[in-house]
């Protein structure tokens, strides 16, 4: 590979990894939402109390401001605006559904919106998102780490 193509490949790979992490975070939020709760990352409870519930809580089970913050912190290549646009689209779609919110449909809306913009790294396929894997928040840096329940 030439230097320019290596840079493009690196940026695409970093964007794909960010998309995967975002889907992992939203998967955890969707699981909380399916139980009627809002998933707040460790250490973010005070900010969530200050900002209150928002459309992200209603649609994804995650406060939009926290998800935005996590994506921005993890973004190394400028892919955050694409992912934010995708999540905004999914949130709008899910909020318009109102009381007819369903986990499977919400998951599909998020994946489709993200995948139209950035193909997530392999670990975030629809199949792996539902294989029993759950994601924890890491309190020291807001990053997720996988574990099986």
């Amino acid at each position: 590979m030439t230097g320019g193509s290596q840079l493009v490949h690196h940026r695409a790979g970093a964007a794909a990894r960010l998309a995967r992490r975002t889907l992992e975070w939203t998967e955890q939020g969707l699981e909380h939402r399916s139980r009627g709760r809002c998933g707040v990352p460790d250490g973010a409870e005070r900010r969530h109390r200050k900002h209150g519930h928002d459309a992200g809580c209603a649609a994804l089970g995650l406060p939009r401001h926290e998800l935005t913050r996590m994506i921005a912190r993890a973004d190394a290549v400028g892919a955050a605006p694409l992912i934010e646009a995708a999540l905004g689209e999914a949130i709008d779609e899910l909020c318009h559904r109102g009381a007819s919110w369903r986990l499977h449909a919400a998951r599909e809306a998020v994946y489709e919106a993200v995948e139209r913009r950035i193909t997530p790294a392999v670990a975030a396929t629809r199949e792996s998102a539902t294989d029993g894997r759950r994601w924890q928040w890491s309190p020291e840096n807001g990053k997720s780490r996988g574990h099986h329940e």
Side-chain angles (χ1 to χ4, degrees), residues 8-22:
V8 169
H9 180 71
H10 168 74
R11 290 176 56 92
R17 286 186 299 277
L18 180 60
R20 181 194 71 224
R21 290 182 67 199
T22 300

Side-chain angles (χ1 to χ4, degrees), residues 4-117:
S5 64
Q6 286 176 335
L7 179 61
V8 169
H9 180 71
H10 168 74
R11 290 176 56 92
R17 286 186 299 277
L18 180 60
R20 181 194 71 224
R21 290 182 67 199
T22 300
L23 292 175
E24 291 167 354
W25 293 327
T26 58
E27 180 63 28
Q28 183 181 32
L30 291 170
E31 290 291 331
H32 283 283
R33 170 63 175 87
S34 72
R35 294 186 300 273
R37 293 187 276 158
C38 183
V40 181
D42 289 341
E45 293 86 1
R46 182 185 299 170
R47 280 190 305 275
H48 188 50
R49 281 192 302 271
K50 177 182 175 187
H51 291 283
H53 291 291
D54 60 18
C57 297
L60 305 177
L62 288 170
R64 177 98 187 243
H65 63 275
E66 286 302 325
L67 194 51
T68 297
R69 186 174 163 275
M70 291 164 36
I71 292 167
R73 288 179 66 185
D75 186 13
V77 293
L82 289 172
I83 293 173
E84 283 292 318
L87 293 177
E89 177 185 309
I91 288 168
D92 288 345
E93 178 183 335
L94 295 168
C95 285
H96 289 313
R97 292 181 186 180
S100 65
W101 189 95
R102 298 288 180 263
L103 178 59
H104 179 74
R107 187 177 286 137
E108 287 291 319
V110 171
Y111 273 82
E112 288 175 10
V114 170
E115 288 174 346
R116 274 196 300 277
R117 290 162 177 86

